[in-house]
Amino acid sequence: MREETGQKHMTALAAVTLLAVFAVSILLALLAGAGAYRRLVDRDAAAFDGRTAAQYIATRVRQSDGADAVAVEDFCGLPCLTLKEWNGGDGSQYVTRLYCYDGSLWELYTAAEVEAGLTDGERVMELDGLELSLEDGLLNADLTLKSGETETVYLSLRSGEVGA
C-alpha cells in the first residue's frame, strides 16, 4: 500500500513538474514574441515618420514649384525652405517657410514683407534636423528623425528658374 501511495505521489509530482515546464516554456515564448513585436512596431513607426516628413516637404514643394518660387534661405540663423507665391489680384507676395526648430518641423505662412520669428509658425511634426541645399534645379533635403535615422529627399524643380 505504501509503495502504491508513493507511486501515485511520484506520478502526480511528475505531472505537475511537466505542467510547470510547459507553462514556463509558453511564457518565455510569449515574452520573446512580444519583444519582437515591439521592435517591429517601433521600426515601422520610425519609417512612417520618415516617409511622412519627406512626403510633406515634397508635396509642399510640388504645390509651389513655379518660376523663382522655391529657394533655400537663412531664416533667423536656420536653413529654411522658402516657397513664394503671388496673389493674382493685387500682385502681393506671400511666403511659406519650412524649417526645423526646437525638435520639430515648422511651417510659417506670411506676407513677404512681414518680419516674423521662429515661434510664429506652426509645428508640423517632430523632426530633429533639416539640412537643405538647392543647386541647378535639384533640391536636396536631409531630415534627421527623432530615432536618429535620416531620410533624404531629392526633388527636381521643373517649373522655370529657381532661386538660390
Side-chain angles (χ1 to χ4, degrees):
M1 177 94 170
R2 212 178 220 186
E3 283 182 29
E4 222 174 88
T5 305
Q7 240 178 350
K8 286 182 183 178
H9 286 300
M10 291 301 280
T11 304
L13 183 62
V16 169
T17 303
L18 185 60
L19 180 63
V21 168
F22 182 69
V24 168
S25 298
I26 288 176
L27 182 61
L28 290 174
L30 286 172
L31 290 174
Y37 178 75
R38 170 57 44 208
R39 288 189 299 276
L40 285 172
V41 167
D42 291 344
R43 185 197 68 194
D44 287 349
F48 176 79
D49 291 345
R51 286 190 310 269
T52 302
Q55 193 61 41
Y56 180 80
I57 289 175
T59 300
R60 295 298 287 135
V61 169
R62 287 182 184 126
Q63 289 173 345
S64 301
D65 190 5
D68 201 33
V70 178
V72 174
E73 300 175 344
D74 181 79
F75 177 62
C76 299
L78 296 175
C80 170
L81 182 60
T82 303
L83 310 170
K84 302 171 188 168
E85 63 184 72
W86 291 265
N87 183 337
D90 60 4
S92 56
Q93 186 181 36
Y94 293 90
V95 177
T96 300
R97 292 181 175 94
L98 299 175
Y99 53 94
C100 186
Y101 173 69
D102 195 28
S104 296
L105 178 66
W106 292 68
E107 179 176 320
L108 174 64
Y109 180 78
T110 62
E113 66 276 357
V114 171
E115 292 290 324
L118 293 171
T119 58
D120 292 331
E122 296 275 335
R123 284 182 194 253
V124 177
M125 64 188 66
E126 291 185 349
L127 191 66
D128 268 353
L130 177 63
E131 293 180 31
L132 301 163
S133 66
L134 180 60
E135 293 181 25
D136 299 325
L138 181 65
L139 175 66
N140 178 17
D142 292 317
L143 301 97
T144 304
L145 309 175
K146 285 290 184 188
S147 64
E149 296 180 28
T150 59
E151 185 82 21
T152 302
V153 179
Y154 298 101
L155 294 170
S156 177
L157 304 179
R158 300 171 187 233
S159 300
E161 298 180 20
V162 296

